[in-house]
């Protein structure tokens, strides 16, 4: 499948930092540094990210991958970063966790954060992205809206929803290409009546 990526971040002049941690640190140590009292913003950010405060006393090495991703996101928010890059953050998330992530991304955008997302899942990207940049074999092949990409781009590994639409259209259904199941249902209803 194509790698769906955002733009060349270094050429945007973004401040890009690495995050250093030790698997033996507790989450509290990682987020709070060496301070004895818990950083005042941690509770608010944990609430914002829908994270349980019990994770503060868990060693980083003992966290699930999903919770670890949210702890890293908490670190970014505590340090007031204006840009958040989600690098394949959606991989391995359940549908419920994807819905939670979408809420968080919408909140981040509403709160003025610049959000970039790297993913291979066009259905998920359709739910969060305003614009899309697609790279094939290290060359940019498309930049624009997802809906336009669906209409004009030959997609090599199609999501199931696109396969269904193409099969229905072969049988004269005249459905519009979409990655949104709700829009597909509306289109099916319209095509019947």
């Amino acid at each position: 499948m194509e790698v769906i990526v955002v733009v060349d971040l270094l050429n945007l002049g973004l401040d890009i930092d690495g995050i250093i941690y030790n698997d033996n640190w507790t989450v509290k140590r990682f987020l709070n540094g060496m301070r004895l009292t818990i950083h005042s913003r941690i509770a608010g950010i944990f609430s914002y990210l829908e994270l349980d405060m019990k994770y503060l006393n868990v060693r980083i090495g003992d966290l699930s991958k999903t919770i670890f991703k949210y702890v890293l996101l908490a670190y970014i928010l505590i340090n007031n970063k204006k840009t958040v890059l989600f690098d394949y953050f959606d991989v391995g998330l359940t549908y419920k966790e994807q819905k939670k992530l979408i809420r968080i991304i919408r909140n981040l955008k509403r709160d003025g954060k610049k959000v970039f997302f790297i993913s291979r899942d066009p259905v998920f990207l359709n739910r969060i992205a305003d614009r899309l940049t697609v790279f094939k074999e290290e060359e940019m092949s498309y930049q624009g809206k997802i809906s336009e990409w669906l209409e004009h781009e030959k997609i090599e590994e199609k999501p199931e929803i696109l396969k269904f639409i193409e099969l229905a259209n072969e049988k004269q259904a005249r459905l519009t290409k979409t990655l949104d199941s709700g829009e597909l249902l509306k289109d099916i209803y319209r095509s019947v009546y």
Side-chain angles (χ1 to χ4, degrees), residues 7-140:
V7 290
D8 181 356
L9 298 174
L10 295 176
N11 287 334
L12 290 177
L14 299 177
D15 184 21
I16 299 175
D17 294 327
I19 298 175
I20 298 171
Y21 64 90
N22 182 316
D23 279 344
N24 291 317
W25 291 350
T26 64
V27 171
K28 180 173 31 179
R29 160 65 177 92
F30 171 61
L31 297 177
N32 204 39
M34 297 303 285
R35 289 184 285 271
L36 295 176
T37 57
I38 292 181
H39 190 288
S40 61
R41 294 189 59 228
I42 290 176
I45 289 173
F46 266 48
S47 175
Y48 185 88
L49 298 176
E50 303 172 31
L51 275 176
D52 193 318
M53 293 292 285
K54 71 179 182 184
Y55 292 116
L56 287 174
N57 295 315
V58 176
R59 282 180 350 107
I60 290 176
D62 294 336
L63 296 172
S64 71
K65 288 182 181 182
T66 300
I67 298 300
F68 178 64
K69 290 176 184 182
Y70 284 111
V71 167
L72 291 176
L73 181 55
Y75 178 88
I76 290 168
L77 297 176
I78 288 169
N79 288 287
N80 294 317
K81 299 298 180 185
K82 292 178 179 29
T83 304
V84 181
L85 171 64
F86 291 90
D87 188 6
Y88 297 102
F89 198 97
D90 58 317
V91 173
L93 295 182
T94 64
Y95 182 75
K96 182 178 176 182
E97 282 293 327
Q98 285 184 357
K99 287 176 69 172
K100 172 183 168 181
L101 179 59
I102 289 167
R103 278 193 311 274
I104 290 168
I105 290 170
R106 287 183 179 143
N107 289 339
L108 289 170
K109 288 165 54 173
R110 183 197 67 222
D111 294 342
K113 303 283 186 196
K114 289 182 183 176
V115 177
F116 295 93
F117 212 93
I118 300 173
S119 178
R120 292 182 180 267
D121 185 352
V123 175
F124 182 75
L125 285 173
N126 183 61
R127 297 169 69 193
I128 60 163
D130 301 321
R131 296 190 46 80
L132 177 74
T133 300
V134 179
F135 284 86
K136 290 182 184 175
E137 300 173 18
E138 298 180 19
E139 295 289 323
M140 186 172 64

